[in-house]
Amino acid sequence: QNGYEITNSRKVEKTSVTVKKTWDDSDNHEGFRPENITIELYANGTKIKEHQLTGTGNEWTYTFDNLDKYAEGKEIEYTINEVAVDKYTTTQNGYEITNSRKVEKVNVTVKKVWDDSDNQDGIRPDSIDVKLSNGTVVTLNEDNEWTYTIEDLDKYADGKEIEYTWTEENMPEGYELSDTTVNGYVTTLTNRHETAKIDLQVTKVWDDANNESGKRPSTITIVLLANSKYYDEVTLSEEVDWKHTFNNLPKFDNGEIIEYTLEEVDIPEGYVSACEGDMETGFIMHNFLGQGDHTPDNPYNNPQTGDNIVIYLISLLISMIGFIISKRYLNKYDC
């Protein structure tokens, strides 16, 4: 007061708001933590400021200072809000904000598929080693059904999803990696082996004086057996020159060479069947027509004189001996 002059004074009170940010993300193990976050300051529900908060470690702080404490005779209510942080869950208690993230884990599986006709050639290894891109080596075999799963691996690193890949340590001899299929976290590696094949030729030979008797059939059926079991069959005729080649036959069965044999179905009446050859050179199947199985075209042209009769009998004897020898010789071979 100065005489009749009275002055009422009040210094505007100020306040401050300190924000505490806590990161609960295993020390940013996955690399998703941003370099900064945005904190908004509200006075009685009205946004008045914002700040780009940054820091080091797992606790960041910032203080909004020089804030009016009162307005319109009442204490101002200050609140804060964090702009949402991607891939984090946010909880808030007053001016304390916690951003949480649980480290995501995955299971990674590798499968081995063999494209080798069920190990027909018998060269498939008992086991193989495959390596994951993180350096882990596992062994695949029949005991684990050629499948292995590595559990509890990190899903992310440096803010990106980890791409897990598998490689085969030593490719088995005779095989190639023909396909790699990735379905999520399951990788299928296919090893292909071109199985050994052979071609087997069969030729039918008729020893019947060029079908003089007319008994030769127009067709015959030859059955192919693999290790004494039916495998295939073919019909031969004059149209195909009484020949056929069984192509691309498997050479092995479970690592053992398959023995292919041939059988003639319904040998023609009056004929004797015999075979020669092997799987490498092919088989020749002979059909012999026995002596006396036909009537000469002109029976009256038989020899009449004593000399001619002797010559005829000698020729007949030589022919019969030759037939018997050839029959015994060829019967030693089994197609």
Side-chain angles (χ1 to χ4, degrees), residues 262-288:
L262 299 171
E263 286 186 0
E264 184 173 351
V265 178
D266 297 331
I267 298 174
E269 183 180 358
Y271 283 84
V272 176
S273 180
C275 184
E276 62 177 324
D278 52 43
M279 291 193 299
E280 291 185 4
T281 61
F283 291 108
I284 299 177
M285 303 187 73
H286 294 263
N287 275 20
F288 292 93

Side-chain angles (χ1 to χ4, degrees), residues 25 28-34 85-88 101 104 156-161:
D25 59 0
N28 194 26
H29 181 75
E30 297 172 301
F32 283 121
R33 186 186 299 180
V85 179
D86 189 32
K87 300 185 183 303
Y88 281 83
R101 175 174 176 80
E104 291 189 54
Y156 297 99
D158 299 324
K160 297 180 180 179
E161 188 169 355

Side-chain angles (χ1 to χ4, degrees), residues 23 29-30 33 51-52 67 69 78 85 113 116 118 137 143 148 154 169 180 189 219 224 246 279 312:
W23 295 100
H29 181 75
E30 297 172 301
R33 186 186 299 180
H51 178 74
Q52 301 296 314
L67 302 174
K69 186 174 183 179
Y78 287 101
V85 179
V113 172
D116 58 3
D118 197 24
V137 177
D143 291 339
Y148 198 94
D154 290 342
E169 288 288 83
T180 300
L189 305 174
T219 63
L224 175 66
F246 294 96
M279 291 193 299
Y312 174 79

Side-chain angles (χ1 to χ4, degrees), residues 46-189:
T46 300
K47 179 180 174 180
I48 60 173
K49 288 184 179 182
E50 68 176 40
H51 178 74
Q52 301 296 314
L53 177 60
T54 187
T56 58
N58 293 324
E59 292 186 356
W60 300 355
T61 60
Y62 178 76
T63 299
F64 293 96
D65 55 13
N66 199 30
L67 302 174
D68 291 342
K69 186 174 183 179
Y70 297 97
E72 298 178 357
K74 296 180 180 180
E75 188 171 354
I76 299 172
E77 181 183 6
Y78 287 101
T79 57
I80 61 172
N81 178 65
E82 179 188 53
V83 176
V85 179
D86 189 32
K87 300 185 183 303
Y88 281 83
T89 300
T90 301
T91 57
Q92 184 173 337
N93 182 17
Y95 300 133
E96 295 183 0
I97 299 175
T98 301
N99 283 35
S100 303
R101 175 174 176 80
K102 186 178 180 180
V103 176
E104 291 189 54
K105 299 290 185 175
V106 294
N107 299 332
V108 178
T109 299
V110 61
K111 294 182 178 181
K112 168 58 64 181
V113 172
W114 297 98
D115 180 13
D116 58 3
S117 299
D118 197 24
N119 196 26
Q120 175 181 294
D121 290 358
I123 66 171
R124 183 190 300 178
D126 294 332
S127 65
I128 59 168
D129 291 333
V130 290
K131 179 189 287 186
L132 189 59
S133 50
N134 69 354
T136 303
V137 177
V138 300
T139 299
L140 305 180
N141 51 41
E142 287 189 359
D143 291 339
N144 56 29
E145 297 182 349
W146 302 98
T147 301
Y148 198 94
T149 298
I150 300 178
E151 300 180 344
D152 204 32
L153 295 174
D154 290 342
K155 184 176 182 179
Y156 297 99
D158 299 324
K160 297 180 180 179
E161 188 169 355
I162 299 173
E163 181 183 3
Y164 289 101
T165 57
W166 293 91
T167 55
E168 196 159 349
E169 288 288 83
N170 297 296
M171 182 62 60
E173 185 176 356
Y175 285 85
E176 63 177 358
L177 182 64
S178 61
D179 185 60
T180 300
T181 302
V182 180
N183 184 10
Y185 291 98
V186 178
T187 299
T188 302
L189 305 174

Side-chain angles (χ1 to χ4, degrees), residues 14-29:
K14 297 292 184 177
T15 188
S16 64
V17 172
T18 298
V19 179
K20 181 181 178 181
K21 154 66 65 177
T22 301
W23 295 100
D24 180 14
D25 59 0
S26 300
D27 292 324
N28 194 26
H29 181 75

